[in-house]
Structure formats: structure tokens, C-alpha cells
Amino acid sequence: MGYCLSLWKTLRRGKYFLLLLLCLSVVAWIAIFSSETVKSQRVFSTTMQTFRKGDVWGNISFWSSLTDCSTSSPVKVDCPEESPLLQGAMKLAFDPSLTLKDVELENKAVTEGQYKPPDCTARQSIAILIPFRNREKHLLYLLHHLHPFLQRQQRHYAIYVIQQAGDATFNRAKLLNVGFLEAQKDYSWGCFIFHDVDLVPENDHNLYKCDKYPRHLVVGRNSTGYKLRYRGYFGGVTALSKDQFDQVNGFSNSYWGWGGEDDDLRVRVELQKMKIIRPPDEVARYTMVFHKRDSGNKINGNRMKMLRQTAQVWRKDGLSSCSYKVLSLERSILYVNVTVDIGEPQLS
């Protein structure tokens, strides 16, 4: 009987002990839950205070966390090295009935002569510089073909037409220096294409871009049987980066009339230990729109003598000494027209 009573007391003590453990567990759980609740209330309070203070970035961050990522704007990627839009060699047409309005309607994405690809970021920004005087039909044909040509290459570009005012002897090189200087007032162009108005590219695999070295884009033209005019020829259409053109001090300003300025530029490039590179023969092909030489662009009879002096004068004759006066600057749909007074040749 005494043994049974002792056992009963022991069981009662164990039951109270278990009950005590249960009570302590409940208290601990309540304490933890209360702590987390206080933290949550503090976070919510801080967020609401941010909204009340009008912290826009805080609001954007908050709602962005609640928004599906699929609703965010797509990020533009770089355009591919080779555009998928290229068509290769094309037969060019020069319709006498073509008008400027026709070309404008064909290029609705062009504004003030400038275009950017809509779906990707162009790898280079390019200024096309065209020296000009009294060649309206040639310019129309070039714009008709060149705008879609560059758009298929997915280039960010602008076309500048640099028009020589007056009836003094034409100076192609100085006009190109002017175009280089004026275009930089619009945008930080990294690449410049110096482009004759009467040369139209036939193959869009002839990429208009700048490279490690100056690029000569006219290997052949219809008027020469698509062969290089002569070894060392560096005329017609050339591509130089801003740094390369600065390094050679641009073109000489002294070549009035036809001939010599391209060879002078080649000598400047060679003096800087730069090579001249060309695209493959089969793509670097141009159609020259035939015309008679105008009276204001007679052959420069002094060009060979001047070429022999290039190494001595290039540092002081070029961009650094290019003086001119802008008479007007007009931003049409297809190009920027810069009309300039570049003076007249000095009598020697």
C-alpha cells in the first residue's frame, strides 16, 4: 500500500512538469510572433513614409517589385557586325522623272538628313560629307540610292552637303575640311565618309564604316572597267575616323580645280605610317553618273609640283588653317545643306 501511494505522487509531479514545459513553449512562441509582427509593422511604416514624402525613386522601386518583368521596356542591343538586311549587288536605276519629293517619301525615317536604326544600337556614328556645286541631278540620284543603302547597313548616319558659293574655281578638298568642322558642331561623329556626288555604290556589302586604318571604298567604277584607276589611288569615296583625319591635319586647302588633293591626302596618311585598306574588289564597285567637266573645275596644272611639297607643308596647310564663312545652313529632310564662302585662289 505504501509503495502504491509513493508511485502516485511521482506521477502527479511528472504531470505538473509536463504541463509547465507546455506553458513555457506557448509563451516563447508568442514572444517570437510578436517580435516579427513589430518588424513587419516598422517596414510597412517606413514604406508609407517614403510615399508620403514623395520620393519618386522609392515609389518606382516599390511598384517595380510588384510588376511582372515582362512589362518592362526592352533594352536595345548592339547591331550585328553584318546586317541581316544586306542585299548584295544591285542594278542601279537613274530615272529622269525622279523628284526630291519621291526620295523623301521613300525615307520617312530620315529627319534632317539623319537616321538611326530602330531595333538596335549602331556600332558607329557616321557623317557623310559631299562637296557640291551645281550638280542637283547627281545629288538627287545619290540620295535616292545612298539612304536605303546605309539603312540596310544599320548605320547611324547624317548626310551633309557642303556647297561652294560663288563662281570661283572649285575646291573640293577645302569643302571637305569645312564639312568635317561643321558636322562636329551637330554631333560627336566618330567616322567620316568623304563622298563625291557622282559616285553611287552598287553593293551594300561595301560597308561604310571606319577601321583601324583609313579605308578607300572605290576599287572600281563603270567608267574604268571596274579596275583601280592607278596604283595608290585614294579618291572618290574614302573613310577616316575623326582621330585619323585630325592626325593628318585633314586635306590641303590649296588645291583649286580638279586633281591632286586625293594624292596629297594619301601622302599625309603614309607620313603618319598608316596603311590604306580596301574592301574586296567584287563589292567595292560604283556607278559613275556621267557628266561634262564644268568650267569652274578646270584641271589643276600645279598639282604635281604641289604634291612634292606635301611633306614640308602638311602641318600648316589643312584643318588648322581652314578659313571660311558660313552663308547659310538649311536642314532639309534628306540632308543638311551648308553653303559657304571659301574665298578664291591666291595669285602666285
Side-chain angles (χ1 to χ4, degrees):
M1 185 69 179
Y3 172 76
C4 290
L5 184 60
S6 176
L7 181 60
W8 170 248
K9 290 180 179 179
T10 300
L11 288 173
R12 286 186 65 187
R13 284 196 297 270
K15 182 173 71 172
Y16 292 141
F17 179 74
L18 289 173
L19 183 59
L20 178 61
L21 285 177
L22 180 61
C23 290
L24 290 173
S25 298
V26 170
V27 171
W29 181 80
I30 291 173
I32 293 171
F33 178 80
S34 299
S35 175
E36 291 299 320
T37 301
V38 169
K39 287 181 182 178
S40 298
Q41 288 175 341
R42 287 175 180 169
V43 171
F44 180 77
S45 176
T46 301
T47 303
M48 293 308 295
Q49 288 175 11
T50 300
F51 275 102
R52 292 190 192 102
K53 290 178 181 178
D55 185 342
V56 176
W57 290 110
N59 296 350
I60 292 173
S61 176
F62 177 79
W63 288 112
S64 296
S65 67
L66 301 179
T67 306
D68 189 335
C69 292
S70 63
T71 63
S72 60
S73 300
V75 177
K76 273 191 178 183
V77 298
D78 288 343
C79 296
E81 287 281 0
E82 182 170 318
S83 168
L85 307 177
L86 300 181
Q87 298 177 6
M90 299 182 68
K91 185 171 175 133
L92 304 182
F94 303 96
D95 185 353
S97 65
L98 184 71
T99 66
L100 192 63
K101 191 65 177 176
D102 294 332
V103 183
E104 290 174 353
L105 291 173
E106 294 167 356
N107 295 279
K108 293 182 179 179
V110 177
T111 304
E112 295 185 347
Q114 186 172 169
Y115 170 87
K116 286 185 178 181
D119 302 323
C120 60
T121 301
R123 291 178 174 269
Q124 292 187 4
S125 294
I126 301 168
I128 313 292
L129 309 181
I130 303 172
F132 180 82
R133 188 170 65 182
N134 300 330
R135 294 281 178 83
E136 284 76 12
K137 203 65 178 180
H138 294 90
L139 178 61
L140 180 62
Y141 288 144
L142 180 59
L143 295 171
H144 174 57
H145 291 287
L146 192 57
H147 273 295
F149 174 93
L150 293 167
Q151 290 165 31
R152 292 196 300 273
Q153 291 188 2
Q154 296 181 309
R155 299 302 188 219
H156 169 215
Y157 69 89
I159 294 179
Y160 293 84
V161 175
I162 306 92
Q163 183 168 194
Q164 181 175 336
D167 56 4
T169 303
F170 194 66
N171 190 328
R172 172 182 180 270
K174 190 170 184 179
L175 290 174
L176 290 171
N177 281 344
V178 171
F180 178 82
L181 295 169
E182 288 297 310
Q184 290 181 82
K185 296 177 183 178
D186 278 349
Y187 187 79
S188 56
W189 304 106
C191 178
F192 293 83
I193 309 290
F194 305 94
H195 207 299
D196 282 355
V197 71
D198 56 0
L199 289 174
V200 183
E202 298 179 4
N203 191 320
D204 56 17
H205 285 278
N206 187 4
L207 301 181
Y208 276 37
K209 66 174 185 176
C210 289
D211 218 320
K212 181 179 179 181
Y213 296 109
R215 286 166 53 83
H216 183 220
L217 301 175
V218 185
V219 173
R221 62 180 79 179
N222 57 338
S223 59
T224 62
Y226 294 104
K227 295 179 181 178
L228 197 65
R229 286 183 62 193
Y230 55 87
R231 186 177 178 182
Y233 176 54
F234 193 47
V237 185
T238 53
L240 286 87
S241 71
K242 179 186 180 303
D243 290 342
Q244 290 164 359
F245 201 62
D246 278 330
Q247 189 174 340
V248 301
N249 196 23
F251 283 94
S252 165
N253 299 306
S254 304
Y255 286 82
W256 297 87
W258 183 89
E261 77 282 355
D262 291 325
D263 292 313
D264 186 282
L265 182 64
R266 172 180 51 79
V267 173
R268 292 169 182 244
V269 165
E270 291 171 348
L271 287 171
Q272 299 303 309
K273 308 301 182 185
M274 290 188 283
K275 297 188 297 185
I276 293 171
I277 58 179
R278 294 185 175 91
D281 295 7
E282 62 271 16
V283 301
R285 294 163 65 101
Y286 285 74
T287 294
M288 181 177 181
V289 184
F290 291 103
H291 58 86
K292 294 181 181 180
R293 188 179 310 284
D294 61 67
S295 58
N297 194 25
K298 60 186 180 182
I299 293 176
N300 182 350
N302 292 324
R303 64 188 186 282
M304 300 309 296
K305 177 183 176 181
M306 295 170 67
L307 276 172
R308 290 191 290 269
Q309 299 172 350
T310 303
Q312 287 74 47
V313 304
W314 72 271
R315 288 183 179 85
K316 59 184 180 182
D317 176 20
L319 291 173
S320 60
S321 61
C322 185
S323 60
Y324 61 95
K325 180 180 180 182
V326 175
L327 301 180
S328 66
L329 193 151
E330 302 169 9
R331 299 183 186 276
S332 64
I333 294 174
L334 297 174
Y335 61 95
V336 179
N337 186 84
V338 185
T339 302
V340 291
D341 178 0
I342 58 172
E344 297 184 2
Q346 296 188 4
L347 298 175
S348 55

